[in-house]
Amino acid sequence: GIQVEQSPPDLILQEGANSTLRCNFSDSVNNLQWFHQNPWGQLINLFYIPSGTKQNGRLSATTVATERYSLLYISSSQTTDSGVYFCVQEIQGAQKLVFGQGTRLTINP
Amino acid sequence: NAGVTQTPKFRVLKTGQSMTLLCAQDMNHEYMYWYRQDPGMGLRLIHYSVGEGTTAKGEVPDGYNVSRLKKQNFLLGLESAAPSQTSVYFCASRETGTTIYEQYFGPGTRLTVT
């Protein structure tokens, strides 16, 4: 089945730093999505990005479908960026999502 | 518009006890899902439904049953709870033909089985 691998598993940074999170996937990309799970467990949609680049404020994402990876960039990190970031793919036609293991980001003041 | 709600938010069960988790959505979505999240992991699909009266197995269905008698509700049942079912359970819903970006998640139910 589809494998979604994320790196690094953990990342600890000071406020104001920039970070890059990576997602590799084993099959052709279908409906790739980045989620943020905040420290209270809430899941928040960040980007739907099966290909190309999108930006939303301090966050941006790029997916290179031909090379089967996606990157999430966070600039000028804030403590509210802390949490776990998940890369998720959909098994097309099966209504099923495959989650990566996540990257736990901790931003210290 | 409350979105996706889950009841209860927390529960502690003893091994062998049964319980039902309720998921409700007020967006008239066709598709509903139950996931579990274990520590340090992403979500895994337990069961899902593509419409009222239908259910299907996901990735980890063993030990769980589901029912979708009403379009707005999706129930997850544990007939005989086991410590391996200690997890956080998330419900989600989405409309037909939409992308996963438009999948809405509930706040989660934290279940502990002792």
Side-chain angles (χ1 to χ4, degrees):
Chain A
I2 294 176
Q3 305 277 337
V4 179
E5 296 181 355
Q6 293 185 242
S7 60
D10 291 281
L11 190 57
I12 301 173
L13 298 171
Q14 291 298 121
E15 203 166 21
N18 300 329
S19 58
T20 301
L21 283 58
R22 186 178 178 102
C23 171
N24 293 331
F25 37 89
S26 62
D27 206 343
S28 300
V29 65
N30 291 308
N31 295 331
L32 190 129
Q33 173 83 10
W34 283 95
F35 284 94
H36 174 216
Q37 188 171 37
N38 66 23
W40 297 271
Q42 184 182 7
L43 282 158
I44 302 160
N45 290 332
L46 294 179
F47 294 103
Y48 167 65
I49 187 159
S51 64
T53 297
K54 290 186 178 179
Q55 179 153 10
N56 184 2
R58 297 181 295 103
L59 274 63
S60 64
T62 295
T63 296
V64 182
T66 53
E67 298 186 24
R68 298 184 181 174
Y69 73 88
S70 183
L71 302 174
L72 178 69
Y73 305 97
I74 305 173
S75 64
S76 304
S77 299
Q78 300 175 358
T79 55
T80 51
D81 294 330
S82 295
V84 183
Y85 290 81
F86 289 106
C87 173
V88 184
Q89 266 222 57
E90 180 176 28
I91 300 176
Q92 196 159 26
Q95 316 304 333
K96 298 177 186 179
L97 304 185
V98 178
F99 279 72
Q101 307 96 315
T103 292
R104 182 173 297 278
L105 178 65
T106 303
I107 304 297
N108 291 321
Chain B
N1 191 338
V4 180
T5 58
Q6 292 183 229
T7 309
K9 290 186 170 53
F10 304 94
R11 186 72 186 268
V12 178
L13 286 179
K14 293 187 190 301
T15 298
Q17 288 185 319
S18 63
M19 77 164 293
T20 300
L21 281 66
L22 170 63
C23 175
Q25 52 95 3
D26 60 2
M27 296 170 283
N28 205 36
H29 286 170
E30 289 291 338
Y31 298 156
M32 296 187 74
Y33 306 82
W34 275 108
Y35 296 90
R36 61 177 288 173
Q37 184 178 26
D38 298 319
M41 296 182 66
L43 278 65
R44 291 183 294 167
L45 182 64
I46 305 171
H47 286 280
Y48 66 102
S49 168
V50 298
E52 183 179 319
T54 73
T55 63
K57 294 181 180 179
E59 184 184 358
V60 288
D62 294 342
Y64 305 95
N65 56 74
V66 288
S67 64
R68 183 102 182 265
L69 298 179
K70 293 183 179 180
K71 187 176 184 179
Q72 64 267 34
N73 295 338
F74 195 27
L75 278 63
L76 178 71
L78 287 73
E79 289 186 350
S80 180
S84 60
Q85 294 178 303
T86 294
S87 191
V88 180
Y89 292 85
F90 287 94
C91 176
S93 74
R94 125 185 187 196
E95 188 43 77
T96 315
T98 57
T99 69
I100 58 172
Y101 188 79
E102 292 145 304
Q103 183 161 153
Y104 295 84
F105 285 88
T109 293
R110 186 173 296 275
L111 175 66
T112 302
V113 183
T114 61

